Amino acid sequence: MSFLHKLRRISAVVAIFIYSSIEVFILRPRTRALRAAWLSRIGKRLLRSQNVTFSVIGAIPSHGAVVTNHLTYIDIMLHAAM
């Protein structure tokens, strides 16, 4: 992976964090559902910027805990996107 390619990917992540921070500051989601929707949007933006695709098989739990081993930060973004 070339330096320019790495720089583009890092720049995309930084731009998404800046944009999403401004978005949450302006919208100020008050309910848990609105905050979850915002988190899902930022997760999807981050994954899309890094060309990561995923699919969900089965129902996403509405309560309880989902546990992963967090070997990378990608699974955190995947959880946020779902």
Side-chain angles (χ1 to χ4, degrees):
M1 187 179 304
S2 71
F3 173 75
L4 290 176
H5 186 69
K6 289 178 185 178
L7 183 62
R8 185 202 66 80
R9 291 174 73 131
I10 291 170
S11 298
V13 169
V14 170
I16 289 167
F17 274 114
I18 291 170
Y19 175 83
S20 297
S21 297
I22 293 169
E23 178 185 45
V24 79
F25 181 74
I26 292 170
L27 297 178
R28 297 205 186 259
R30 303 252 185 249
T31 65
R32 178 180 239 167
L34 290 174
R35 288 189 300 267
W38 173 81
L39 182 61
S40 180
R41 282 193 307 273
I42 189 174
K44 288 176 184 175
R45 287 176 190 147
L46 288 168
L47 291 171
R48 193 170 38 246
S49 75
Q50 303 304 307
N51 294 321
V52 175
T53 59
F54 68 96
S55 60
V56 177
I57 299 172
I60 297 172
S62 61
H63 63 282
V66 176
V67 180
T68 59
N69 56 9
H70 294 305
L71 291 175
T72 67
Y73 288 103
I74 292 176
D75 54 347
I76 297 169
M77 289 187 288
L78 287 170
H79 282 270
M82 288 189 281

